[in-house]
Amino acid sequence: MLLEVEGLCVNYGHIEAIRDISFTVEEGQVVTLIGANGAGKTTTLKTLSGLRTVRAGSVVFEGRDITKVPAYERVALRISQSPEGRGVFVGMTVRENLDMGAFVRKDRKTPAYTEDLDRVFDLFPRLKEREKQVAGTMSGGEQQMLAIGRALMARPRLLLLDEPSMGLAPKLIQQIFSIIREINQQGTTVLLVEQNAAQALKIADTAHILETGEIVRTGTGKELAGDDSVKAAYLGGDL
């Protein structure tokens, strides 16, 4: 098992943001967390990245308990996140942003590094075209591509994606999800938080529904997409 989350509890002050959640992610899967705003999805990803303190429970990655491992060490363990809101370095160029994604790597002058950069440019040809452009001058869709590309430069075993479709036009959303599927098919395990439940369930091997910090439903993407109660609550009544 690549990732095992057991009995996880996280607070913001006295408020429980995550309440005793448990789930696993197998290597090679796409697993998605869906739910309304405030359900605890982003907090879950931040906790897995080491950006939130765990009150109770554990996070085990590749058999190692990383519950108290700091965030920068988790990147070195090959857990990488593309954050909600993209978070690109707006004053840096595309290439500089990508290089920042690889800050823990010690092989920047090797063919392996060049291969990873080429992989990102193959997935996102627009980034190659904009390689010397300052990130803050790019469109929202281009910045989202850059955020994912930057996360990939850490060579993650587990890629955490937080709301990759947020604020994007429908045509671009389709493109982003197609690329996420391709990233997974190339061998990267993906844990996806996404409000566009219809798109997320289409590519998910396993899906968990969060409500007020708790997992209330689990199933395959196909099972949940076909469930009438899920359709009514999260899919606008239909896919």
Side-chain angles (χ1 to χ4, degrees):
M1 193 64 64
L2 187 65
L3 179 73
E4 299 170 83
V5 176
E6 184 65 40
L8 200 64
C9 299
V10 177
N11 281 29
Y12 288 102
H14 296 295
I15 299 171
E16 286 186 309
I18 301 174
R19 195 177 303 123
D20 193 30
I21 68 170
S22 300
F23 64 93
T24 60
V25 179
E26 292 185 27
E27 188 160 3
Q29 282 191 322
V30 176
V31 175
T32 190
L33 307 177
I34 62 174
N37 277 333
K41 307 184 303 297
T42 290
T43 300
T44 300
L45 288 198
K46 286 184 175 180
T47 303
L48 297 179
S49 291
L51 301 175
R52 290 288 177 267
T53 301
V54 174
R55 180 174 63 79
S58 64
V59 178
V60 175
F61 182 67
E62 294 188 307
R64 173 184 173 182
D65 190 329
I66 64 167
T67 310
K68 296 183 179 180
V69 171
Y72 70 91
E73 287 188 21
R74 298 192 195 196
V75 178
L77 293 173
R78 297 173 65 184
I79 300 173
S80 187
Q81 180 168 354
S82 173
E84 181 182 14
R86 299 152 198 153
V88 299
F89 299 106
V90 294
M92 293 182 176
T93 65
V94 166
R95 176 58 188 270
E96 288 168 341
N97 269 270
L98 294 176
D99 287 340
M100 286 297 292
F103 78 98
V104 297
R105 295 178 59 171
K106 304 185 188 307
D107 63 346
R108 293 199 191 189
K109 299 185 184 298
T110 69
Y113 189 82
T114 303
E115 287 171 10
D116 289 335
L117 196 59
D118 288 342
R119 176 196 180 200
V120 170
F121 288 147
D122 285 343
L123 287 165
F124 303 106
R126 186 68 61 85
L127 298 184
K128 179 63 176 175
E129 297 170 9
R130 304 278 196 272
E131 187 174 358
K132 297 181 181 179
Q133 185 171 333
V134 174
T137 65
M138 298 168 71
S139 70
E142 290 166 344
Q143 289 188 21
Q144 184 60 68
M145 294 174 188
L146 181 56
I148 296 173
R150 182 183 59 189
L152 287 173
M153 287 304 295
R155 304 191 86 183
R157 294 284 309 282
L158 177 63
L159 176 63
L160 309 177
L161 297 176
D162 195 353
E163 303 285 7
S165 77
M166 181 181 288
L168 302 184
K171 185 176 180 180
L172 192 52
I173 289 173
Q174 295 277 356
Q175 182 182 353
I176 289 291
F177 274 92
S178 175
I179 292 168
I180 293 170
R181 189 194 301 269
E182 186 173 350
I183 289 168
N184 176 247
Q185 289 171 345
Q186 290 178 356
T188 303
T189 305
V190 176
L191 179 57
L192 168 69
V193 157
E194 180 55 60
Q195 280 202 320
N196 190 326
Q199 289 291 342
L201 293 176
K202 282 180 183 178
I203 68 171
D205 297 297
T206 303
H208 306 284
I209 297 177
L210 268 69
E211 291 181 4
T212 58
E214 297 180 282
I215 293 177
V216 296
R217 287 284 303 278
T218 293
T220 67
K222 187 175 182 179
E223 286 170 350
L224 294 185
D227 184 282
D228 288 340
S229 63
V230 175
K231 287 181 179 180
Y234 301 103
L235 306 175
D238 202 353
L239 269 175

